[in-house]
Amino acid sequence: MAAAFELTRPELAGKYDVTVYQLGWRLGGKGASGRGPADRIEEHGLHLWMGFYENAFRLMRECYEELGRDPSRCPIATWTDAFVPDHFCGTMDRAPDGTWLPWAVHFPPTKGQPGDPDLIKHRWTVADYLQRSLSLARTLFRAVQERSGPEARPELATSPVGAAPSELRKLMAELMARRAKGAEYAGLATWGSLIYGLRVLDEVVRLMPRFPGQVILDFHAAIANSARSQLRRMTRSDTELRRLWEIIDLVLAVVRGIIGSGLVFDRRGFDAIDGYDCREWLMRWGASKESVESAFVRALYDLAFAYEDGDVTRPRIAAGQALRGALRAFFTYRGAFFWKMQAGMGDVVFAPLYEVLKRRGVGFKFFHKLTGMGVGRADGGADGAFVETLTFDVQAKVRGGRAYRPLVSIRGLPCWPAAPRWNQLVGGEMLRKQGWEFESHWERRRAGARTLRVGRDFDLVVLAVGVGEVPHVAREIIEQDARWQQWATSHKSVATQALQLWLRDGIAELGWTQPSINISGFVEPFDTWADMSHLTSRESYPLDPGGSSKVKSIAYFCSVLPDPEPGVNTAAAGYPAMRRKEVRDNALRFLNTDVGTLWPNAVAPKGFRWNLLVTPDTNKGPAGKARLESQFYIANVDPTMRYSLSLPGTLQHRISPLHRTHENLTVAGDWTGCGFTEGCVEAAVMSGKLAAHALSGSPPLEEIVGFDHP
């Protein structure tokens, strides 16, 4: 959608005639949502936007401005109606005795809003992130200083800011010498002096490379060792201090690693360390085993589904991308750390994009399942490969040959339904009764076939399918092109699972004692939970006697879904149903045995209180665990739904939209080499913009925030 948006901008004066060929009845891929029974929002998982998604927010801000909805008629008329700041998030932490403790954090609002145009002028560098990390370390040291009580000696008074290199060398030598001698006022033996030492280190880093790298590393080690020796004594009985120490330890390892790996001066930037797993790299540069196994790091892996083959005992994510993502998230977010959509992603993102693109003249061919791409070569030679044909299964035909009208209005908001609008399709009622599944890779039934030919039906192609589908639709390209072969043999994706619950009690009644939250790092099979109770006003559940919705809270859970054991026939027609049953079994076990940690009042001695679940049509419904069938759960095993992993040693093989391996082909998706090589909407938008640039030269690369590659 980002590529189509860029290629049809008014300033291009209609140069490109764009048609979108879409599987099934709705746009969005992994981000698609639909309205099911009682108008409830049914997602493929949890979708939260982060405050550093500059490109994605700019796209949506421009989209809503161009759409120009009337706020008196549509409840979500502007981008600020669609996205609301969310400052509270956290992770689940293990206490020394093994019990789970929530670790909740309020991220303060920052200046500006994501998508503000001023950031285009600033290019974040590794040096910027290094300075921010040192500043964060000082802030954390001050927090420890406040908890540890008054110190015998004040912080050194001489300011190192603006000091000459010779003066800084003298200060470093003095601090380290005092520490080595164990003097009464040891140079790095108090928190005040450690904070001062970090200020000195900050100034030294600003003057790199005028200081030998080993000198900087030795001074850094002195600070880290002093902090470690003091904190280990203090954290034995203080949970908050232990958590502070874990973050300090990680930040110090990041600082040491950036300096020791020479990333400030390496033109590859963070990409230079993508051969390491993030935890491996952190430990290489001094992080403790306890810190890299902490709740904080575990949550970062959970949020990226970063488990090879879906196996939670095999956490793996490329260090460079993990570092890039974490530093951008924590240091460059604007407005709020998270932003929550005020309806489903289909309603908030893809319906407005569809309406704007339709108005611009973009054609949409729904129910077109891409099955293959034929390759031709100029004059039949070895060079000049191009896409010659595109073949599709036509999944269904629209009555009267008209264009399919995909959206429905729910309380004045244009939305995607959770099922096709059968009455528009030829034989639609029969297709519905026969259970045709248009979004399933395993659905082989079709209403026809279609082949598009270059020069007659198309000139240029943007391949923007989900990562798992690429090997199926681009077989000929992969067989003939070495770059594509390298990508196909190195890249991996993973299935995910999601569970949504509608409950008659609010989260406080359920026993959650903190504010509404997004939390990760919990147990499998659902390690991530977000309170989505704000969506109750967008849905149409039955009313209670007081006139308000029977639904008082909505909970979204998600996690990685392990790949099947060897020997399971994943091509069998019954495979999706088998995996969906697995998610159901996971949900039953999770609710009976684990959710009580989050919601103590949701469980009784025999397990989960099933009558808490509100059914769509009536409050009666089935009893006991059968009530789970009235909720929504999904196994995202379809190739188009699989999540793209950022495994160590693989990211350099990603296909970039700028590569143009074939004369008339580019690619788009969060699985491409787009400057942010991790699955998220920001990567998808960056990739779409790069695809548009590859074809048209627009937008300029310098306007794609975060695309800092040479």
Side-chain angles (χ1 to χ4, degrees):
M1 292 300 97
F5 192 91
E6 295 295 338
L7 290 171
T8 56
R9 282 187 177 276
E11 50 265 37
L12 292 180
K15 181 178 180 180
Y16 296 94
D17 180 9
V18 176
T19 301
V20 175
Y21 291 86
Q22 173 64 48
L23 173 80
W25 70 94
R26 57 182 169 180
L27 303 175
K30 293 192 296 295
S33 68
R35 293 304 190 107
D39 299 332
R40 69 183 185 184
I41 298 162
E42 297 175 349
E43 303 269 11
H44 288 91
L46 172 62
H47 302 296
L48 297 171
W49 285 43
M50 301 193 75
F52 75 91
Y53 287 1
E54 295 291 336
N55 299 287
F57 270 106
R58 186 173 303 130
L59 172 71
M60 295 315 303
R61 289 173 65 166
E62 291 175 348
C63 176
Y64 274 94
E65 183 178 358
E66 185 174 337
L67 189 58
R69 285 175 171 171
D70 182 352
S72 67
R73 301 180 62 184
C74 183
I76 296 180
T78 67
W79 83 271
T80 52
D81 296 330
F83 299 91
V84 171
D86 189 11
H87 304 287
F88 201 65
C89 63
T91 184
M92 292 299 287
D93 184 22
R94 285 277 197 186
D97 63 2
T99 57
W100 287 100
L101 299 172
W103 181 7
V105 178
H106 179 273
F107 283 91
T110 59
K111 292 182 180 179
Q113 295 175 314
D116 284 350
D118 60 288
L119 199 60
I120 291 176
K121 300 175 183 178
H122 181 78
R123 316 303 292 180
W124 286 93
T125 66
V126 175
D128 290 328
Y129 291 125
L130 179 57
Q131 300 290 165
R132 288 292 190 98
S133 298
L134 285 165
S135 177
L136 174 60
R138 289 201 305 274
T139 300
L140 294 170
F141 276 17
R142 289 192 184 99
V144 175
Q145 185 182 36
E146 291 173 3
R147 291 184 67 88
S148 60
E151 294 183 342
R153 297 278 184 171
E155 185 177 337
L156 288 172
T158 305
S159 174
V161 178
S166 58
E167 296 174 30
L168 291 171
R169 286 191 179 92
K170 188 182 297 183
L171 284 171
M172 284 195 294
E174 180 184 353
L175 288 167
M176 293 176 71
R178 287 181 173 178
R179 175 180 181 273
K181 292 177 181 177
E184 180 185 350
Y185 174 55
L188 294 170
T190 66
W191 288 107
S193 58
L194 283 169
I195 293 167
Y196 180 80
L198 283 172
R199 290 172 60 191
V200 173
L201 183 60
D202 195 6
E203 289 301 305
V204 169
V205 166
R206 290 179 194 276
L207 294 173
M208 286 195 303
R210 297 181 68 176
F211 286 85
Q214 193 56 50
V215 170
I216 299 175
L217 290 176
D218 288 346
F219 187 58
H220 174 280
I223 294 173
N225 291 336
S226 288
R228 183 176 294 112
S229 63
Q230 293 183 61
L231 271 166
R232 279 184 170 164
R233 292 192 301 270
M234 299 166 61
T235 58
R236 291 169 186 166
S237 59
D238 190 327
T239 297
E240 290 301 318
L241 204 54
R242 172 179 58 81
R243 292 167 174 172
L244 270 175
W245 163 240
E246 288 168 353
I247 301 298
I248 289 172
D249 192 42
L250 293 169
V251 172
L252 291 176
V254 168
V255 169
R256 184 174 179 82
I258 289 176
I259 297 170
S261 299
L263 300 187
V264 172
F265 306 109
D266 193 322
R267 67 190 300 271
R268 296 171 296 171
F270 291 121
D271 292 350
I273 58 173
D274 273 335
Y276 296 96
D277 170 66
C278 182
R279 296 187 189 203
E280 174 192 8
W281 185 83
L282 287 169
M283 292 185 72
R284 173 186 173 91
W285 293 105
S288 67
K289 188 173 184 292
E290 293 82 3
S291 297
V292 299
E293 292 179 353
S294 65
F296 176 78
V297 174
R298 189 173 65 252
L300 294 180
Y301 276 71
D302 287 349
L303 290 172
F305 301 107
Y307 301 100
E308 190 166 4
D309 300 328
D311 183 351
V312 295
T313 67
R314 299 169 66 196
R316 296 189 75 213
I317 185 171
Q321 174 53 37
L323 208 57
R324 178 189 292 114
L327 295 175
R328 281 192 64 184
F330 289 107
F331 293 147
T332 73
Y333 76 86
R334 295 209 277 184
F337 190 76
F338 280 122
W339 292 71
K340 272 186 176 173
M341 291 178 287
Q342 298 305 291
M345 191 157 176
D347 314 333
V348 163
V349 176
F350 293 104
L353 283 169
Y354 169 77
E355 290 184 301
V356 165
L357 293 176
K358 190 76 174 173
R359 188 183 298 174
R360 288 181 179 181
V362 172
F364 287 88
K365 302 293 184 182
F366 292 97
F367 303 103
H368 277 66
K369 181 180 183 178
L370 182 64
T371 58
M373 306 171 68
V375 177
R377 296 188 180 276
D379 301 322
D383 299 323
F386 61 93
V387 176
E388 187 173 31
T389 61
L390 300 169
T391 57
F392 294 91
D393 280 349
V394 179
Q395 300 173 295
K397 295 182 179 180
V398 181
R399 290 180 176 180
R402 295 184 291 270
Y404 180 71
R405 301 182 306 281
L407 301 179
V408 295
S409 179
I410 295 178
R411 301 187 178 189
L413 182 66
C415 301
W416 303 88
R421 302 184 71 183
W422 301 103
N423 62 344
Q424 294 186 38
L425 305 181
V426 174
E429 183 58 21
M430 180 189 68
L431 300 179
R432 184 188 68 80
K433 289 181 178 178
Q434 292 177 352
W436 285 41
E437 298 183 8
F438 297 118
E439 292 181 333
S440 173
H441 172 78
W442 292 267
E443 178 62 79
R444 297 291 183 257
R445 292 172 289 188
R446 63 184 187 178
R450 185 176 184 184
T451 298
L452 305 183
R453 296 191 179 279
V454 68
R456 184 190 71 186
D457 304 303
F458 69 89
D459 299 302
L460 305 169
V461 178
V462 179
L463 179 65
V465 299
V467 61
E469 195 66 25
V470 177
H472 297 285
V473 301
R475 294 181 298 274
E476 191 172 333
I477 291 175
I478 293 172
E479 289 171 359
Q480 298 180 17
D481 188 280
R483 186 190 291 269
W484 281 79
Q485 289 170 15
Q486 201 167 36
W487 170 81
T489 55
S490 65
H491 189 78
K492 280 189 174 184
S493 62
V494 69
T496 62
Q497 56 189 324
L499 169 68
Q500 294 176 210
L501 303 177
W502 290 263
L503 301 118
R504 67 175 66 256
D505 287 353
I507 59 171
E509 296 172 281
L510 294 171
W512 179 253
T513 59
Q514 310 260 9
S516 176
I517 198 168
N518 318 301
I519 202 160
S520 198
F522 194 35
V523 296
E524 308 306 327
F526 295 106
D527 54 40
T528 298
W529 161 53
D531 174 36
M532 304 295 282
S533 303
H534 64 285
L535 298 179
T536 55
S537 62
R538 301 290 181 209
E539 302 176 341
S540 304
Y541 268 79
L543 301 181
D544 61 25
S548 60
S549 172
K550 286 184 180 294
V551 176
K552 298 300 188 295
S553 62
I554 302 174
Y556 285 20
F557 295 93
C558 67
S559 187
V560 71
L561 180 64
D563 284 343
E565 295 293 329
V568 173
N569 183 7
T570 59
Y575 177 72
M578 179 186 75
R579 299 312 305 275
R580 187 172 186 274
K581 180 181 181 300
E582 183 180 334
V583 175
R584 176 185 177 275
D585 294 343
N586 287 342
L588 287 171
R589 185 174 67 255
F590 175 78
L591 293 175
N592 274 322
T593 62
D594 297 313
V595 83
T597 299
L598 303 174
W599 310 333
N601 300 336
V603 294
K606 293 184 179 180
F608 186 71
R609 295 169 51 210
W610 298 104
N611 64 341
L612 286 171
L613 302 179
V614 181
T615 60
D617 50 353
T618 172
N619 196 32
K620 296 178 182 178
K625 66 181 182 181
R627 210 170 178 83
L628 181 62
E629 299 305 320
S630 69
Q631 308 300 289
F632 181 75
Y633 54 90
I634 188 170
N636 293 308
V637 296
D638 196 288
T640 63
M641 295 296 113
R642 290 177 67 90
Y643 185 89
S644 178
L645 293 180
S646 304
L647 295 178
T650 68
L651 302 188
Q652 71 272 26
H653 301 312
R654 289 197 175 194
I655 306 296
S656 167
L658 303 181
H659 283 160
R660 297 296 295 275
T661 58
H662 293 66
E663 291 182 358
N664 62 340
L665 170 70
T666 186
V667 294
D670 63 8
W671 53 272
T672 66
C674 60
F676 196 86
T677 46
E678 191 172 334
C680 63
V681 68
E682 177 72 350
V685 172
M686 291 173 69
S687 182
K689 287 176 174 283
L690 288 170
H693 176 89
L695 299 182
S696 68
S698 177
L701 294 181
E702 58 269 20
E703 290 189 5
I704 303 175
V705 177
F707 185 72
D708 302 321
H709 290 242

